[in-house]
Amino acid sequence: MLIRAFVVAVALSWYLPAAAQNKLRTVATFSILGNLTAEVAGDLADVAVLVGADIDAHTYQPRPADARSLAEARVLVSNGLGFEGWIDRLAKAAPFKGRAIVATAGVPTLEAAPTPGHNHAHGPDPHCWQDVGRVRQYVANIAMGLAEADPANAAHYRDRAEAFDRRLADLDTWVKQEIAKVPAEKRKAITGHDSFRYFAAAYGVQFKSPRGYNTGSEPSAKDVAVLIRQVREQGIKALFVENMTNPGLIDQVARESGGIVGPRLYSDALSGPDGPAPTYEKMMRHNVTALVAGMLKN
C-alpha cells in the first residue's frame, strides 16, 4: 500500500505541472473582462488581468511585468473603443503574437457625450458593459476567440458561454424589474464621471455627471455650478461616487445641493474578492440595488 501511494504521488507530481502548462495562457486588459473571460474559459485557461480590482484603466501606466505577461500569452482580450489607449503600444512592445479578441466587436455603440474643453469625449463611449444585453455579445465574442485559439476545446467554451448567457439573460430581466420599482420621474442619479450612458439607454435612468467618461478630465467650476443648480431644481437626492473616482467632487455637490451620497458604485472595475462586486454579475446587482434605494429618495 505504501509503495502504491508513493507511485500515485509521483505520478501526480508529474501530471499537475504538465496540466498547468497546457492551460490556455490568456491576458485580459481589466478586471471586468478578466471575470467574463474566466467564466467562459473555466479551468482550461490561466487568465491574467493587467488592470486589477479598483484600478482605473483610463489612466493606467503599463509595467514591465505586463509586457512579459503578454509575450507569454496565447490570447489577449481587450474592450476596444479606445478604452485601453495603451494596449496597442504594449502589445507591440511585448511583442504579443497570439489571438487578439476585441470584446466589443459587433456591439452597438453610443456616441460619447461631449465635454467642454476635452477632445477625448468624441467617438464611441467604451463603457458598453453597463448594459447586460451588450455584455451577452461580449461573451459570444470571447467564446469564439477562445475556440479559435484552442480548437480542441471549442465545445467546452461554447457550452460555458451558453450557460453564462442564460444567467446574463436572467440578470438583464432582474435589472429591468428592479428599476421598474422606481417611478419614472424619480429615475435620476448623479455620478462622479459619465460612465453609465449604456445603463441609462437600456434601463431608463437619467444620469448626470460633472466629468466626461475619462476620469483623467477635470470639470470647470462653471460645469460644477450648473450641475449643483440642476440637482437643487430637480430635487435629486441620489448621488454616487464610483470606486476609482476621487469623492471630493461629489461630496461638494452633495453639500451644496442637499443631496445624499449613497453606496459606492462600481463602474469601470470590480472590487476585490472581499468587496461587494468581485464578479460582473455581483457588480450589476450591487449597483442596481444601490441606485434603486437612492432614487426612491428623490
Side-chain angles (χ1 to χ4, degrees):
M1 291 296 292
L2 289 174
I3 294 176
R4 181 179 298 177
F6 175 76
V7 170
V8 170
V10 171
L12 285 173
S13 71
W14 280 92
Y15 170 76
L16 290 175
Q21 290 174 3
N22 289 334
K23 286 190 175 185
L24 187 65
R25 298 190 70 131
T26 302
V27 169
T29 51
F30 70 112
S31 57
I32 294 172
L33 277 189
N35 175 247
L36 299 179
T37 302
E39 287 288 350
V40 175
D43 59 2
L44 294 188
D46 180 10
V47 181
V49 176
L50 299 182
V51 186
D54 291 315
I55 300 176
D56 185 4
H58 291 108
T59 57
Y60 184 71
Q61 296 296 322
R63 305 162 301 166
D66 297 331
R68 290 194 294 272
S69 292
L70 268 183
E72 297 170 354
R74 290 169 57 192
V75 177
L76 167 63
V77 185
S78 65
N79 185 75
L81 304 179
F83 181 68
E84 314 96 329
W86 38 267
I87 190 59
D88 290 342
R89 297 190 303 274
L90 179 62
K92 184 177 181 180
F96 171 71
K97 298 179 180 180
R99 173 73 169 82
I101 302 171
V102 178
T104 55
V107 175
T109 60
L110 300 172
E111 286 298 302
T115 301
H118 296 286
N119 294 329
H120 66 261
H122 299 296
D125 186 324
H127 301 82
C128 305
W129 59 84
Q130 290 296 343
D131 172 7
V132 181
R134 285 174 165 88
V135 166
R136 296 175 69 181
Q137 182 62 48
Y138 274 50
V139 169
N141 289 338
I142 292 169
M144 181 172 64
L146 293 178
E148 290 175 356
D150 183 17
N153 291 304
H156 169 86
Y157 303 125
R158 182 184 65 245
D159 291 347
R160 287 190 62 89
E162 289 175 354
F164 192 19
D165 182 72
R166 289 191 292 271
R167 299 206 312 270
L168 291 174
D170 291 341
L171 177 61
D172 194 40
T173 299
W174 177 84
V175 173
K176 292 172 181 174
Q177 291 172 340
E178 290 299 301
I179 298 298
K181 295 176 180 178
V182 182
E185 67 275 10
K186 292 189 172 189
R187 294 177 197 166
K188 301 175 183 179
I190 307 296
T191 55
H193 80 295
D194 188 18
S195 58
F196 289 92
R197 297 184 70 244
Y198 289 94
F199 191 103
Y203 306 116
V205 175
Q206 296 181 45
F207 289 89
K208 294 185 182 297
S209 167
R211 281 192 183 89
Y213 71 72
N214 190 322
T215 52
S217 67
E218 288 296 332
S220 67
K222 180 181 177 181
D223 295 334
V224 175
V226 168
L227 181 62
I228 291 170
R229 186 173 67 250
Q230 289 177 326
V231 172
R232 286 173 178 165
E233 291 174 351
Q234 298 179 29
I236 301 173
K237 299 296 183 183
L239 277 65
F240 299 94
V241 177
E242 298 98 308
N243 58 323
M244 80 290 297
T245 302
N246 187 319
L249 200 55
I250 289 298
D251 287 343
Q252 177 189 349
V253 174
R255 285 195 308 271
E256 299 187 29
S257 68
I260 301 169
V261 180
R264 192 167 294 256
L265 298 183
Y266 291 82
S267 57
D268 296 2
L270 300 177
S271 72
D274 297 327
T279 69
Y280 175 75
E281 292 166 276
K282 289 183 178 179
M283 179 191 83
M284 292 301 293
R285 290 184 182 277
H286 167 82
N287 285 351
V288 169
T289 299
L291 283 166
V292 168
M295 291 188 298
L296 285 172
K297 297 174 183 176
N298 288 340

